[in-house]
Amino acid sequence: MDDAELLLAAVVAAAVSLVVTPFARRLAHRTGFVDHPGGHRVHETATPVLGGLAVAAGTVVAGLAFGGADRRVLATLGVALGLAAVGCWDDRRPLPPTVRLAVEAAGGLALVLAGARAGIGPGWLDPLLVVVWFVAVVNACNMIDNHDGICSSMGAVTGLGAGAIAAMAGADPVAAVGFALAGAAVGFLASNLPPATIFLGDTGSMFIGGTIGALVLWLPDPSGSSLQRLTVAALLLLVPFLDEGTAIITRLREGRDPMMASTDHLSHRLRLAGRSQRAIVAIMAGTQAVAAVAAVVVWRLRGHAAIAAAAAVCLAIGIALLAGALRMPHPGQERAA
């Protein structure tokens, strides 16, 4: 599959997403899938939450059209659609965190049965690592969907990064799904950038998380280095993991339930620091874009010394970013105190 075909996959996905978004908006209003202001939410008007249907439609149509009936494509899209269905239920009638975690773990197990491997530990431990990775990614994407345009922009950037790596490795079906996700997310961003007229909802954030989590597992490993594979995976999800880590550590330090939503995410901190809504999207998407480029560079490295040096640098930068984020004040501090 050449570059033109991959670009076409993204264009087709974007077109489908653009067309489906208005229908999803009207369907959400008719069926009551609307998110109202209040609590930890920062939007000021009632907003429909079925935007994930548009992203899923674009990704599935283009992914199947250009990726074909490849086992990896079918497993990725099947698991992601299953998560989207659970997310849709959660958008209407919130589910207990334990139920969501169980469903996410089942999705990871389904990928194991389809042949997905973490490739960073002993064989007997590998299935558990796949499940842990998948649950972490889905939750990170769900948690970062707390501000207009952020989760969909993460889907676009990370989908493109994973797709580019898969294409360089000759894993064309996997690359097609990555480019399809990127295109569908870009098409949806037309309505999701601040001020958003429709949200992804858990339908969309869980679909994006499930797709990304699976894509990274399918990426070929050119050097056989577990450290290289782990570094590439972490870079492709740098901003979602940074946001997830910041929120969970903050809640634990303040004696709160780490799974309960609150205004302690990166977007809330940046907003309190005076950044505009669009600037926040640009900062977070730009940071993830740099990380995705770094992931491509690390994936192309050969030699244990070069890989170890790159991993050490990336780890140091990640720790510095997390420490900096934790030092930033957040709107929920006074309430937590």
Side-chain angles (χ1 to χ4, degrees):
M1 185 178 293
D2 57 28
D3 293 345
E5 288 179 289
L6 290 174
L7 179 60
L8 183 58
V11 171
V12 170
V16 172
S17 182
L18 278 168
V19 170
V20 173
T21 296
F23 291 98
R25 186 185 296 113
R26 289 195 291 271
L27 177 64
H29 280 297
R30 285 201 302 266
T31 56
F33 281 85
V34 177
D35 193 17
H36 295 276
H40 64 276
R41 297 170 177 82
V42 297
H43 59 282
E44 298 177 354
T45 59
T47 306
V49 295
L50 284 181
L53 295 180
V55 176
T59 305
V60 170
V61 169
L64 291 176
F66 292 88
D70 183 272
R71 167 179 53 87
R72 296 162 294 182
V73 172
L74 296 178
T76 298
L77 296 179
V79 168
L81 285 173
L83 290 178
V86 174
C88 187
W89 183 287
D90 194 48
D91 282 328
R92 190 59 183 270
R93 294 183 177 85
L95 294 168
T98 52
V99 173
R100 291 165 54 96
L101 288 173
V103 171
E104 293 159 8
L109 182 58
L111 290 174
V112 170
L113 295 176
R117 296 293 180 265
I120 59 172
W124 60 267
L125 184 61
D126 200 272
L128 177 60
L129 293 176
V130 169
V131 173
V132 170
W133 160 262
F134 191 72
V135 170
V137 173
V138 174
N139 275 284
C141 289
N142 183 253
M143 291 178 73
I144 206 171
D145 187 31
N146 55 68
H147 182 285
D148 298 356
I150 292 180
C151 186
S152 44
S153 65
M154 293 300 115
V157 173
T158 299
L160 186 61
I165 292 175
M168 288 187 291
D172 291 344
V174 177
V177 176
F179 275 78
L181 175 63
V186 169
F188 179 68
L189 272 170
S191 300
N192 191 231
L193 284 174
T197 59
I198 184 170
F199 294 155
L200 280 170
D202 287 347
T203 306
S205 63
M206 292 184 74
F207 178 86
I208 289 174
T211 304
I212 291 174
L215 283 175
V216 174
L217 290 169
W218 298 124
L219 293 180
D221 186 0
S223 67
S225 169
S226 298
L227 183 59
Q228 183 181 32
R229 187 170 180 82
L230 182 60
T231 304
V232 169
L235 286 169
L236 286 172
L237 274 299
L238 176 65
V239 173
F241 281 162
L242 181 62
D243 180 76
E244 184 178 34
T246 300
I248 290 176
I249 292 173
T250 297
R251 293 168 193 176
L252 289 174
R253 289 197 312 193
E254 296 176 354
R256 294 183 284 122
D257 185 343
M259 298 303 294
M260 294 300 292
S262 183
T263 54
D264 45 23
H265 291 275
L266 294 177
S267 61
H268 301 129
R269 296 166 192 261
L270 289 169
R271 188 70 183 273
L272 189 62
R275 302 296 189 272
S276 69
Q277 287 187 304
R278 293 211 170 206
I280 291 170
V281 176
I283 291 169
M284 295 179 70
T287 302
Q288 184 55 56
V290 172
V293 172
V296 174
V297 172
V298 172
W299 184 84
R300 294 176 64 90
L301 291 177
R302 299 296 179 268
H304 294 299
I307 292 170
V313 171
C314 292
L315 178 61
I317 293 174
I319 292 174
L321 288 172
L322 178 60
L326 289 169
R327 283 196 297 268
M328 295 176 66
H330 65 86
Q333 280 181 314
E334 291 184 3
R335 291 192 295 274

